[in-house]
PDB file of all heavy atoms in Angstrom:
ATOM      1  N   ARG A 240     -13.444 -11.686   7.124  1.00 90.00           N
ATOM      2  CA  ARG A 240     -13.068 -12.628   6.078  1.00 90.00           C
ATOM      3  C   ARG A 240     -13.987 -13.846   6.108  1.00 90.00           C
ATOM      4  O   ARG A 240     -14.374 -14.323   7.180  1.00 90.00           O
ATOM      5  CB  ARG A 240     -11.627 -13.106   6.292  1.00 90.00           C
ATOM      6  CG  ARG A 240     -11.167 -14.167   5.292  1.00 90.00           C
ATOM      7  CD  ARG A 240      -9.951 -14.918   5.785  1.00 90.00           C
ATOM      8  NE  ARG A 240      -9.459 -15.853   4.776  1.00 90.00           N
ATOM      9  CZ  ARG A 240      -8.595 -16.835   5.013  1.00 90.00           C
ATOM     10  NH1 ARG A 240      -8.124 -17.011   6.241  1.00 90.00           N
ATOM     11  NH2 ARG A 240      -8.203 -17.640   4.048  1.00 90.00           N
ATOM     12  N   VAL A 241     -14.328 -14.346   4.923  1.00 91.00           N
ATOM     13  CA  VAL A 241     -15.041 -15.618   4.772  1.00 91.00           C
ATOM     14  C   VAL A 241     -14.244 -16.459   3.791  1.00 91.00           C
ATOM     15  O   VAL A 241     -13.815 -15.951   2.745  1.00 91.00           O
ATOM     16  CB  VAL A 241     -16.478 -15.409   4.239  1.00 91.00           C
ATOM     17  CG1 VAL A 241     -17.177 -16.751   4.077  1.00 91.00           C
ATOM     18  CG2 VAL A 241     -17.268 -14.499   5.173  1.00 91.00           C
ATOM     19  N   TRP A 242     -14.013 -17.727   4.117  1.00 90.00           N
ATOM     20  CA  TRP A 242     -13.220 -18.562   3.215  1.00 90.00           C
ATOM     21  C   TRP A 242     -13.709 -20.002   3.227  1.00 90.00           C
ATOM     22  O   TRP A 242     -14.427 -20.443   4.128  1.00 90.00           O
ATOM     23  CB  TRP A 242     -11.740 -18.515   3.576  1.00 90.00           C
ATOM     24  CG  TRP A 242     -11.328 -19.408   4.720  1.00 90.00           C
ATOM     25  CD1 TRP A 242     -10.852 -20.701   4.662  1.00 90.00           C
ATOM     26  CD2 TRP A 242     -11.345 -19.077   6.114  1.00 90.00           C
ATOM     27  NE1 TRP A 242     -10.576 -21.174   5.903  1.00 90.00           N
ATOM     28  CE2 TRP A 242     -10.872 -20.200   6.823  1.00 90.00           C
ATOM     29  CE3 TRP A 242     -11.716 -17.936   6.827  1.00 90.00           C
ATOM     30  CZ2 TRP A 242     -10.758 -20.216   8.211  1.00 90.00           C
ATOM     31  CZ3 TRP A 242     -11.603 -17.950   8.213  1.00 90.00           C
ATOM     32  CH2 TRP A 242     -11.129 -19.079   8.879  1.00 90.00           C
ATOM     33  N   GLY A 243     -13.304 -20.716   2.200  1.00 92.00           N
ATOM     34  CA  GLY A 243     -13.608 -22.134   2.100  1.00 92.00           C
ATOM     35  C   GLY A 243     -12.477 -22.857   1.395  1.00 92.00           C
ATOM     36  O   GLY A 243     -11.750 -22.254   0.596  1.00 92.00           O
ATOM     37  N   GLU A 244     -12.317 -24.124   1.705  1.00 93.00           N
ATOM     38  CA  GLU A 244     -11.238 -24.919   1.122  1.00 93.00           C
ATOM     39  C   GLU A 244     -11.693 -26.353   0.950  1.00 93.00           C
ATOM     40  O   GLU A 244     -12.439 -26.887   1.779  1.00 93.00           O
ATOM     41  CB  GLU A 244     -10.008 -24.871   2.037  1.00 93.00           C
ATOM     42  CG  GLU A 244      -8.836 -25.717   1.569  1.00 93.00           C
ATOM     43  CD  GLU A 244      -7.657 -25.639   2.526  1.00 93.00           C
ATOM     44  OE1 GLU A 244      -7.181 -24.521   2.764  1.00 93.00           O
ATOM     45  OE2 GLU A 244      -7.240 -26.694   3.054  1.00 93.00           O
ATOM     46  N   ILE A 245     -11.271 -26.976  -0.128  1.00 95.00           N
ATOM     47  CA  ILE A 245     -11.489 -28.396  -0.343  1.00 95.00           C
ATOM     48  C   ILE A 245     -10.157 -29.028  -0.692  1.00 95.00           C
ATOM     49  O   ILE A 245      -9.327 -28.413  -1.380  1.00 95.00           O
ATOM     50  CB  ILE A 245     -12.547 -28.647  -1.436  1.00 95.00           C
ATOM     51  CG1 ILE A 245     -12.915 -30.132  -1.481  1.00 95.00           C
ATOM     52  CG2 ILE A 245     -12.078 -28.134  -2.796  1.00 95.00           C
ATOM     53  CD1 ILE A 245     -14.150 -30.415  -2.303  1.00 95.00           C
ATOM     54  N   GLN A 246      -9.924 -30.244  -0.186  1.00 94.00           N
ATOM     55  CA  GLN A 246      -8.604 -30.859  -0.325  1.00 94.00           C
ATOM     56  C   GLN A 246      -8.741 -32.368  -0.449  1.00 94.00           C
ATOM     57  O   GLN A 246      -9.614 -32.981   0.179  1.00 94.00           O
ATOM     58  CB  GLN A 246      -7.757 -30.509   0.907  1.00 94.00           C
ATOM     59  CG  GLN A 246      -6.364 -31.120   0.918  1.00 94.00           C
ATOM     60  CD  GLN A 246      -5.544 -30.573   2.063  1.00 94.00           C
ATOM     61  OE1 GLN A 246      -5.287 -29.377   2.162  1.00 94.00           O
ATOM     62  NE2 GLN A 246      -5.112 -31.450   2.961  1.00 94.00           N
ATOM     63  N   TYR A 247      -7.878 -32.959  -1.261  1.00 96.00           N
ATOM     64  CA  TYR A 247      -7.815 -34.414  -1.383  1.00 96.00           C
ATOM     65  C   TYR A 247      -6.452 -34.877  -0.887  1.00 96.00           C
ATOM     66  O   TYR A 247      -5.423 -34.352  -1.307  1.00 96.00           O
ATOM     67  CB  TYR A 247      -8.007 -34.868  -2.834  1.00 96.00           C
ATOM     68  CG  TYR A 247      -7.994 -36.374  -2.975  1.00 96.00           C
ATOM     69  CD1 TYR A 247      -9.130 -37.122  -2.680  1.00 96.00           C
ATOM     70  CD2 TYR A 247      -6.838 -37.040  -3.370  1.00 96.00           C
ATOM     71  CE1 TYR A 247      -9.117 -38.505  -2.791  1.00 96.00           C
ATOM     72  CE2 TYR A 247      -6.810 -38.425  -3.483  1.00 96.00           C
ATOM     73  CZ  TYR A 247      -7.967 -39.156  -3.185  1.00 96.00           C
ATOM     74  OH  TYR A 247      -7.934 -40.529  -3.284  1.00 96.00           O
ATOM     75  N   GLU A 248      -6.449 -35.853   0.016  1.00 95.00           N
ATOM     76  CA  GLU A 248      -5.207 -36.396   0.565  1.00 95.00           C
ATOM     77  C   GLU A 248      -5.066 -37.867   0.202  1.00 95.00           C
ATOM     78  O   GLU A 248      -6.040 -38.621   0.218  1.00 95.00           O
ATOM     79  CB  GLU A 248      -5.184 -36.247   2.090  1.00 95.00           C
ATOM     80  CG  GLU A 248      -5.198 -34.820   2.583  1.00 95.00           C
ATOM     81  CD  GLU A 248      -5.032 -34.716   4.092  1.00 95.00           C
ATOM     82  OE1 GLU A 248      -4.630 -35.721   4.715  1.00 95.00           O
ATOM     83  OE2 GLU A 248      -5.319 -33.646   4.642  1.00 95.00           O
ATOM     84  N   HIS A 249      -3.836 -38.246  -0.094  1.00 96.00           N
ATOM     85  CA  HIS A 249      -3.530 -39.653  -0.339  1.00 96.00           C
ATOM     86  C   HIS A 249      -2.128 -39.925   0.188  1.00 96.00           C
ATOM     87  O   HIS A 249      -1.143 -39.434  -0.366  1.00 96.00           O
ATOM     88  CB  HIS A 249      -3.607 -39.992  -1.826  1.00 96.00           C
ATOM     89  CG  HIS A 249      -3.278 -41.430  -2.113  1.00 96.00           C
ATOM     90  ND1 HIS A 249      -4.115 -42.466  -1.748  1.00 96.00           N
ATOM     91  CD2 HIS A 249      -2.199 -42.000  -2.702  1.00 96.00           C
ATOM     92  CE1 HIS A 249      -3.562 -43.620  -2.103  1.00 96.00           C
ATOM     93  NE2 HIS A 249      -2.403 -43.359  -2.688  1.00 96.00           N
ATOM     94  N   GLY A 250      -2.055 -40.650   1.294  1.00 95.00           N
ATOM     95  CA  GLY A 250      -0.757 -40.881   1.908  1.00 95.00           C
ATOM     96  C   GLY A 250      -0.148 -39.564   2.358  1.00 95.00           C
ATOM     97  O   GLY A 250      -0.770 -38.789   3.067  1.00 95.00           O
ATOM     98  N   ALA A 251       1.071 -39.314   1.906  1.00 96.00           N
ATOM     99  CA  ALA A 251       1.775 -38.090   2.297  1.00 96.00           C
ATOM    100  C   ALA A 251       1.563 -36.952   1.306  1.00 96.00           C
ATOM    101  O   ALA A 251       2.135 -35.888   1.461  1.00 96.00           O
ATOM    102  CB  ALA A 251       3.267 -38.370   2.434  1.00 96.00           C
ATOM    103  N   THR A 252       0.736 -37.155   0.280  1.00 97.00           N
ATOM    104  CA  THR A 252       0.511 -36.119  -0.727  1.00 97.00           C
ATOM    105  C   THR A 252      -0.893 -35.533  -0.586  1.00 97.00           C
ATOM    106  O   THR A 252      -1.806 -36.174  -0.065  1.00 97.00           O
ATOM    107  CB  THR A 252       0.682 -36.671  -2.146  1.00 97.00           C
ATOM    108  OG1 THR A 252      -0.297 -37.691  -2.371  1.00 97.00           O
ATOM    109  CG2 THR A 252       2.073 -37.261  -2.326  1.00 97.00           C
ATOM    110  N   TYR A 253      -1.056 -34.316  -1.072  1.00 97.00           N
ATOM    111  CA  TYR A 253      -2.361 -33.671  -1.035  1.00 97.00           C
ATOM    112  C   TYR A 253      -2.451 -32.623  -2.133  1.00 97.00           C
ATOM    113  O   TYR A 253      -1.437 -32.143  -2.655  1.00 97.00           O
ATOM    114  CB  TYR A 253      -2.620 -33.023   0.330  1.00 97.00           C
ATOM    115  CG  TYR A 253      -1.642 -31.923   0.692  1.00 97.00           C
ATOM    116  CD1 TYR A 253      -1.903 -30.589   0.369  1.00 97.00           C
ATOM    117  CD2 TYR A 253      -0.457 -32.209   1.370  1.00 97.00           C
ATOM    118  CE1 TYR A 253      -1.015 -29.577   0.702  1.00 97.00           C
ATOM    119  CE2 TYR A 253       0.441 -31.207   1.706  1.00 97.00           C
ATOM    120  CZ  TYR A 253       0.159 -29.897   1.374  1.00 97.00           C
ATOM    121  OH  TYR A 253       1.041 -28.901   1.705  1.00 97.00           O
ATOM    122  N   ALA A 254      -3.679 -32.256  -2.483  1.00 98.00           N
ATOM    123  CA  ALA A 254      -3.932 -31.202  -3.462  1.00 98.00           C
ATOM    124  C   ALA A 254      -5.316 -30.639  -3.194  1.00 98.00           C
ATOM    125  O   ALA A 254      -6.184 -31.329  -2.648  1.00 98.00           O
ATOM    126  CB  ALA A 254      -3.831 -31.734  -4.885  1.00 98.00           C
ATOM    127  N   GLY A 255      -5.530 -29.382  -3.570  1.00 97.00           N
ATOM    128  CA  GLY A 255      -6.831 -28.803  -3.319  1.00 97.00           C
ATOM    129  C   GLY A 255      -6.972 -27.409  -3.873  1.00 97.00           C
ATOM    130  O   GLY A 255      -6.136 -26.920  -4.646  1.00 97.00           O
ATOM    131  N   ALA A 256      -8.048 -26.746  -3.451  1.00 98.00           N
ATOM    132  CA  ALA A 256      -8.365 -25.392  -3.896  1.00 98.00           C
ATOM    133  C   ALA A 256      -9.017 -24.641  -2.748  1.00 98.00           C
ATOM    134  O   ALA A 256      -9.663 -25.244  -1.880  1.00 98.00           O
ATOM    135  CB  ALA A 256      -9.288 -25.421  -5.103  1.00 98.00           C
ATOM    136  N   SER A 257      -8.861 -23.324  -2.732  1.00 97.00           N
ATOM    137  CA  SER A 257      -9.482 -22.500  -1.699  1.00 97.00           C
ATOM    138  C   SER A 257      -9.885 -21.153  -2.278  1.00 97.00           C
ATOM    139  O   SER A 257      -9.391 -20.730  -3.330  1.00 97.00           O
ATOM    140  CB  SER A 257      -8.527 -22.299  -0.519  1.00 97.00           C
ATOM    141  OG  SER A 257      -7.419 -21.497  -0.899  1.00 97.00           O
ATOM    142  N   ALA A 258     -10.782 -20.467  -1.575  1.00 97.00           N
ATOM    143  CA  ALA A 258     -11.247 -19.144  -1.995  1.00 97.00           C
ATOM    144  C   ALA A 258     -11.509 -18.299  -0.766  1.00 97.00           C
ATOM    145  O   ALA A 258     -11.981 -18.804   0.258  1.00 97.00           O
ATOM    146  CB  ALA A 258     -12.511 -19.264  -2.837  1.00 97.00           C
ATOM    147  N   SER A 259     -11.191 -17.010  -0.864  1.00 95.00           N
ATOM    148  CA  SER A 259     -11.394 -16.083   0.242  1.00 95.00           C
ATOM    149  C   SER A 259     -11.600 -14.689  -0.311  1.00 95.00           C
ATOM    150  O   SER A 259     -11.086 -14.343  -1.385  1.00 95.00           O
ATOM    151  CB  SER A 259     -10.185 -16.089   1.180  1.00 95.00           C
ATOM    152  OG  SER A 259     -10.299 -15.089   2.184  1.00 95.00           O
ATOM    153  N   ASN A 260     -12.330 -13.853   0.416  1.00 96.00           N
ATOM    154  CA  ASN A 260     -12.387 -12.439   0.073  1.00 96.00           C
ATOM    155  C   ASN A 260     -11.126 -11.747   0.566  1.00 96.00           C
ATOM    156  O   ASN A 260     -10.532 -12.150   1.579  1.00 96.00           O
ATOM    157  CB  ASN A 260     -13.620 -11.783   0.680  1.00 96.00           C
ATOM    158  CG  ASN A 260     -13.602 -11.770   2.195  1.00 96.00           C
ATOM    159  OD1 ASN A 260     -13.678 -12.830   2.824  1.00 96.00           O
ATOM    160  ND2 ASN A 260     -13.487 -10.591   2.799  1.00 96.00           N
ATOM    161  N   VAL A 261     -10.683 -10.730  -0.154  1.00 96.00           N
ATOM    162  CA  VAL A 261      -9.558  -9.886   0.246  1.00 96.00           C
ATOM    163  C   VAL A 261      -9.879  -8.452  -0.149  1.00 96.00           C
ATOM    164  O   VAL A 261     -10.857  -8.187  -0.858  1.00 96.00           O
ATOM    165  CB  VAL A 261      -8.225 -10.326  -0.412  1.00 96.00           C
ATOM    166  CG1 VAL A 261      -7.806 -11.713   0.043  1.00 96.00           C
ATOM    167  CG2 VAL A 261      -8.325 -10.264  -1.934  1.00 96.00           C
ATOM    168  N   LYS A 262      -9.056  -7.520   0.286  1.00 95.00           N
ATOM    169  CA  LYS A 262      -9.146  -6.117  -0.134  1.00 95.00           C
ATOM    170  C   LYS A 262      -7.720  -5.598  -0.221  1.00 95.00           C
ATOM    171  O   LYS A 262      -7.152  -5.141   0.768  1.00 95.00           O
ATOM    172  CB  LYS A 262      -9.981  -5.302   0.848  1.00 95.00           C
ATOM    173  CG  LYS A 262     -10.278  -3.876   0.367  1.00 95.00           C
ATOM    174  CD  LYS A 262     -11.038  -3.085   1.423  1.00 95.00           C
ATOM    175  CE  LYS A 262     -12.461  -3.595   1.587  1.00 95.00           C
ATOM    176  NZ  LYS A 262     -13.231  -2.724   2.535  1.00 95.00           N
ATOM    177  N   LEU A 263      -7.134  -5.692  -1.425  1.00 93.00           N
ATOM    178  CA  LEU A 263      -5.721  -5.410  -1.625  1.00 93.00           C
ATOM    179  C   LEU A 263      -5.522  -4.115  -2.406  1.00 93.00           C
ATOM    180  O   LEU A 263      -6.350  -3.745  -3.248  1.00 93.00           O
ATOM    181  CB  LEU A 263      -5.060  -6.579  -2.359  1.00 93.00           C
ATOM    182  CG  LEU A 263      -5.208  -7.944  -1.665  1.00 93.00           C
ATOM    183  CD1 LEU A 263      -4.639  -9.041  -2.543  1.00 93.00           C
ATOM    184  CD2 LEU A 263      -4.527  -7.941  -0.306  1.00 93.00           C
ATOM    185  N   SER A 264      -4.404  -3.449  -2.157  1.00 90.00           N
ATOM    186  CA  SER A 264      -4.158  -2.153  -2.789  1.00 90.00           C
ATOM    187  C   SER A 264      -4.112  -2.218  -4.316  1.00 90.00           C
ATOM    188  O   SER A 264      -4.512  -1.252  -4.975  1.00 90.00           O
ATOM    189  CB  SER A 264      -2.860  -1.536  -2.241  1.00 90.00           C
ATOM    190  OG  SER A 264      -1.757  -2.407  -2.425  1.00 90.00           O
ATOM    191  N   PRO A 265      -3.636  -3.317  -4.960  1.00 92.00           N
ATOM    192  CA  PRO A 265      -3.700  -3.366  -6.430  1.00 92.00           C
ATOM    193  C   PRO A 265      -5.107  -3.614  -6.968  1.00 92.00           C
ATOM    194  O   PRO A 265      -5.293  -3.701  -8.176  1.00 92.00           O
ATOM    195  CB  PRO A 265      -2.770  -4.537  -6.779  1.00 92.00           C
ATOM    196  CG  PRO A 265      -1.887  -4.693  -5.588  1.00 92.00           C
ATOM    197  CD  PRO A 265      -2.768  -4.381  -4.419  1.00 92.00           C
ATOM    198  N   GLY A 266      -6.114  -3.748  -6.079  1.00 94.00           N
ATOM    199  CA  GLY A 266      -7.498  -3.870  -6.523  1.00 94.00           C
ATOM    200  C   GLY A 266      -8.127  -5.228  -6.333  1.00 94.00           C
ATOM    201  O   GLY A 266      -9.345  -5.365  -6.505  1.00 94.00           O
ATOM    202  N   GLY A 267      -7.348  -6.258  -6.019  1.00 94.00           N
ATOM    203  CA  GLY A 267      -7.899  -7.597  -5.860  1.00 94.00           C
ATOM    204  C   GLY A 267      -8.954  -7.657  -4.760  1.00 94.00           C
ATOM    205  O   GLY A 267      -8.752  -7.131  -3.670  1.00 94.00           O
ATOM    206  N   ASP A 268     -10.111  -8.292  -5.073  1.00 96.00           N
ATOM    207  CA  ASP A 268     -11.184  -8.407  -4.092  1.00 96.00           C
ATOM    208  C   ASP A 268     -11.446  -9.844  -3.652  1.00 96.00           C
ATOM    209  O   ASP A 268     -12.313 -10.094  -2.813  1.00 96.00           O
ATOM    210  CB  ASP A 268     -12.476  -7.783  -4.625  1.00 96.00           C
ATOM    211  CG  ASP A 268     -12.889  -8.359  -5.973  1.00 96.00           C
ATOM    212  OD1 ASP A 268     -12.496  -9.503  -6.294  1.00 96.00           O
ATOM    213  OD2 ASP A 268     -13.604  -7.660  -6.717  1.00 96.00           O
ATOM    214  N   SER A 269     -10.719 -10.785  -4.224  1.00 97.00           N
ATOM    215  CA  SER A 269     -10.818 -12.180  -3.805  1.00 97.00           C
ATOM    216  C   SER A 269      -9.507 -12.884  -4.113  1.00 97.00           C
ATOM    217  O   SER A 269      -8.735 -12.451  -4.977  1.00 97.00           O
ATOM    218  CB  SER A 269     -11.991 -12.892  -4.479  1.00 97.00           C
ATOM    219  OG  SER A 269     -11.899 -12.807  -5.888  1.00 97.00           O
ATOM    220  N   GLU A 270      -9.268 -13.957  -3.397  1.00 98.00           N
ATOM    221  CA  GLU A 270      -8.045 -14.747  -3.565  1.00 98.00           C
ATOM    222  C   GLU A 270      -8.443 -16.188  -3.836  1.00 98.00           C
ATOM    223  O   GLU A 270      -9.072 -16.835  -3.000  1.00 98.00           O
ATOM    224  CB  GLU A 270      -7.187 -14.669  -2.297  1.00 98.00           C
ATOM    225  CG  GLU A 270      -5.887 -15.450  -2.386  1.00 98.00           C
ATOM    226  CD  GLU A 270      -5.073 -15.325  -1.104  1.00 98.00           C
ATOM    227  OE1 GLU A 270      -5.427 -16.016  -0.113  1.00 98.00           O
ATOM    228  OE2 GLU A 270      -4.118 -14.536  -1.077  1.00 98.00           O
ATOM    229  N   LEU A 271      -8.089 -16.674  -5.017  1.00 98.00           N
ATOM    230  CA  LEU A 271      -8.387 -18.046  -5.420  1.00 98.00           C
ATOM    231  C   LEU A 271      -7.080 -18.813  -5.505  1.00 98.00           C
ATOM    232  O   LEU A 271      -6.104 -18.329  -6.097  1.00 98.00           O
ATOM    233  CB  LEU A 271      -9.096 -18.066  -6.776  1.00 98.00           C
ATOM    234  CG  LEU A 271     -10.342 -17.167  -6.896  1.00 98.00           C
ATOM    235  CD1 LEU A 271     -10.920 -17.265  -8.297  1.00 98.00           C
ATOM    236  CD2 LEU A 271     -11.393 -17.535  -5.850  1.00 98.00           C
ATOM    237  N   GLU A 272      -7.042 -20.011  -4.922  1.00 98.00           N
ATOM    238  CA  GLU A 272      -5.801 -20.773  -4.847  1.00 98.00           C
ATOM    239  C   GLU A 272      -5.991 -22.200  -5.353  1.00 98.00           C
ATOM    240  O   GLU A 272      -7.024 -22.827  -5.096  1.00 98.00           O
ATOM    241  CB  GLU A 272      -5.295 -20.845  -3.406  1.00 98.00           C
ATOM    242  CG  GLU A 272      -4.922 -19.523  -2.800  1.00 98.00           C
ATOM    243  CD  GLU A 272      -4.346 -19.683  -1.395  1.00 98.00           C
ATOM    244  OE1 GLU A 272      -4.553 -20.754  -0.764  1.00 98.00           O
ATOM    245  OE2 GLU A 272      -3.694 -18.742  -0.926  1.00 98.00           O
ATOM    246  N   LEU A 273      -4.975 -22.698  -6.019  1.00 98.00           N
ATOM    247  CA  LEU A 273      -4.809 -24.113  -6.329  1.00 98.00           C
ATOM    248  C   LEU A 273      -3.477 -24.538  -5.729  1.00 98.00           C
ATOM    249  O   LEU A 273      -2.470 -23.851  -5.918  1.00 98.00           O
ATOM    250  CB  LEU A 273      -4.804 -24.355  -7.837  1.00 98.00           C
ATOM    251  CG  LEU A 273      -6.099 -24.034  -8.592  1.00 98.00           C
ATOM    252  CD1 LEU A 273      -5.875 -24.188 -10.099  1.00 98.00           C
ATOM    253  CD2 LEU A 273      -7.236 -24.947  -8.135  1.00 98.00           C
ATOM    254  N   PHE A 274      -3.459 -25.648  -5.001  1.00 98.00           N
ATOM    255  CA  PHE A 274      -2.231 -26.025  -4.311  1.00 98.00           C
ATOM    256  C   PHE A 274      -2.041 -27.541  -4.314  1.00 98.00           C
ATOM    257  O   PHE A 274      -2.984 -28.316  -4.498  1.00 98.00           O
ATOM    258  CB  PHE A 274      -2.248 -25.511  -2.868  1.00 98.00           C
ATOM    259  CG  PHE A 274      -3.416 -26.009  -2.044  1.00 98.00           C
ATOM    260  CD1 PHE A 274      -3.361 -27.229  -1.384  1.00 98.00           C
ATOM    261  CD2 PHE A 274      -4.572 -25.257  -1.944  1.00 98.00           C
ATOM    262  CE1 PHE A 274      -4.440 -27.686  -0.639  1.00 98.00           C
ATOM    263  CE2 PHE A 274      -5.652 -25.696  -1.192  1.00 98.00           C
ATOM    264  CZ  PHE A 274      -5.591 -26.916  -0.536  1.00 98.00           C
ATOM    265  N   ALA A 275      -0.781 -27.928  -4.127  1.00 98.00           N
ATOM    266  CA  ALA A 275      -0.423 -29.337  -4.000  1.00 98.00           C
ATOM    267  C   ALA A 275       0.795 -29.424  -3.096  1.00 98.00           C
ATOM    268  O   ALA A 275       1.616 -28.490  -3.058  1.00 98.00           O
ATOM    269  CB  ALA A 275      -0.130 -29.964  -5.360  1.00 98.00           C
ATOM    270  N   GLY A 276       0.907 -30.545  -2.370  1.00 98.00           N
ATOM    271  CA  GLY A 276       2.018 -30.653  -1.443  1.00 98.00           C
ATOM    272  C   GLY A 276       2.362 -32.073  -1.083  1.00 98.00           C
ATOM    273  O   GLY A 276       1.674 -33.031  -1.464  1.00 98.00           O
ATOM    274  N   TYR A 277       3.432 -32.199  -0.318  1.00 98.00           N
ATOM    275  CA  TYR A 277       3.976 -33.497   0.098  1.00 98.00           C
ATOM    276  C   TYR A 277       4.466 -33.363   1.536  1.00 98.00           C
ATOM    277  O   TYR A 277       5.121 -32.367   1.879  1.00 98.00           O
ATOM    278  CB  TYR A 277       5.116 -33.892  -0.836  1.00 98.00           C
ATOM    279  CG  TYR A 277       5.818 -35.186  -0.477  1.00 98.00           C
ATOM    280  CD1 TYR A 277       5.114 -36.369  -0.322  1.00 98.00           C
ATOM    281  CD2 TYR A 277       7.211 -35.223  -0.313  1.00 98.00           C
ATOM    282  CE1 TYR A 277       5.769 -37.554  -0.004  1.00 98.00           C
ATOM    283  CE2 TYR A 277       7.870 -36.391  -0.003  1.00 98.00           C
ATOM    284  CZ  TYR A 277       7.135 -37.560   0.156  1.00 98.00           C
ATOM    285  OH  TYR A 277       7.776 -38.721   0.471  1.00 98.00           O
ATOM    286  N   LYS A 278       4.139 -34.343   2.392  1.00 97.00           N
ATOM    287  CA  LYS A 278       4.465 -34.285   3.818  1.00 97.00           C
ATOM    288  C   LYS A 278       5.323 -35.483   4.234  1.00 97.00           C
ATOM    289  O   LYS A 278       4.818 -36.452   4.794  1.00 97.00           O
ATOM    290  CB  LYS A 278       3.186 -34.263   4.664  1.00 97.00           C
ATOM    291  CG  LYS A 278       2.323 -33.031   4.474  1.00 97.00           C
ATOM    292  CD  LYS A 278       1.095 -33.095   5.384  1.00 97.00           C
ATOM    293  CE  LYS A 278       0.236 -31.863   5.286  1.00 97.00           C
ATOM    294  NZ  LYS A 278      -0.951 -31.925   6.178  1.00 97.00           N
ATOM    295  N   PRO A 279       6.619 -35.411   3.980  1.00 97.00           N
ATOM    296  CA  PRO A 279       7.503 -36.504   4.410  1.00 97.00           C
ATOM    297  C   PRO A 279       7.970 -36.309   5.853  1.00 97.00           C
ATOM    298  O   PRO A 279       7.812 -35.222   6.431  1.00 97.00           O
ATOM    299  CB  PRO A 279       8.683 -36.386   3.445  1.00 97.00           C
ATOM    300  CG  PRO A 279       8.767 -34.908   3.194  1.00 97.00           C
ATOM    301  CD  PRO A 279       7.341 -34.404   3.192  1.00 97.00           C
ATOM    302  N   GLU A 280       8.559 -37.343   6.421  1.00 96.00           N
ATOM    303  CA  GLU A 280       9.191 -37.277   7.735  1.00 96.00           C
ATOM    304  C   GLU A 280      10.644 -37.707   7.589  1.00 96.00           C
ATOM    305  O   GLU A 280      10.949 -38.696   6.930  1.00 96.00           O
ATOM    306  CB  GLU A 280       8.477 -38.177   8.740  1.00 96.00           C
ATOM    307  CG  GLU A 280       7.041 -37.762   9.027  1.00 96.00           C
ATOM    308  CD  GLU A 280       6.394 -38.622  10.101  1.00 96.00           C
ATOM    309  OE1 GLU A 280       7.134 -39.327  10.828  1.00 96.00           O
ATOM    310  OE2 GLU A 280       5.153 -38.594  10.225  1.00 96.00           O
ATOM    311  N   ALA A 281      11.551 -36.941   8.213  1.00 95.00           N
ATOM    312  CA  ALA A 281      12.977 -37.252   8.127  1.00 95.00           C
ATOM    313  C   ALA A 281      13.727 -36.541   9.241  1.00 95.00           C
ATOM    314  O   ALA A 281      13.369 -35.410   9.622  1.00 95.00           O
ATOM    315  CB  ALA A 281      13.550 -36.837   6.767  1.00 95.00           C
ATOM    316  N   LEU A 282      14.726 -37.204   9.798  1.00 92.00           N
ATOM    317  CA  LEU A 282      15.628 -36.615  10.789  1.00 92.00           C
ATOM    318  C   LEU A 282      14.886 -36.074  12.010  1.00 92.00           C
ATOM    319  O   LEU A 282      15.299 -35.096  12.632  1.00 92.00           O
ATOM    320  CB  LEU A 282      16.461 -35.496  10.148  1.00 92.00           C
ATOM    321  CG  LEU A 282      17.282 -35.884   8.914  1.00 92.00           C
ATOM    322  CD1 LEU A 282      17.928 -34.652   8.303  1.00 92.00           C
ATOM    323  CD2 LEU A 282      18.329 -36.931   9.282  1.00 92.00           C
ATOM    324  N   GLY A 283      13.777 -36.714  12.354  1.00 93.00           N
ATOM    325  CA  GLY A 283      13.003 -36.282  13.503  1.00 93.00           C
ATOM    326  C   GLY A 283      12.074 -35.125  13.238  1.00 93.00           C
ATOM    327  O   GLY A 283      11.422 -34.630  14.168  1.00 93.00           O
TER     328      GLY A 283
END
C-alpha cells in the first residue's frame, strides 16, 4: 500500500483528504477520502 494525507487543524476541529491504493472485490482500485472531525475532552 502507498498512501498520502493532508489535514488542516484549528483548535479541536480538523478536516482533510487522503488517497490510497486498494484492491477490492467490487473492482475499486483506489480509495479517496474527504473527512472532518472534532476532538473534545469530557469526563476524563
Side-chain angles (χ1 to χ4, degrees):
R240 176 198 185 195
V241 179
W242 81 93
E244 177 181 302
I245 189 167
Q246 178 172 299
Y247 182 80
E248 297 186 15
H249 179 70
T252 62
Y253 62 91
S257 68
S259 174
N260 65 293
V261 296
K262 188 184 290 185
L263 303 174
S264 57
D268 55 24
S269 56
E270 181 179 78
L271 308 179
E272 296 184 342
L273 296 174
F274 58 86
Y277 177 55
K278 295 181 177 180
E280 296 184 16
L282 304 174

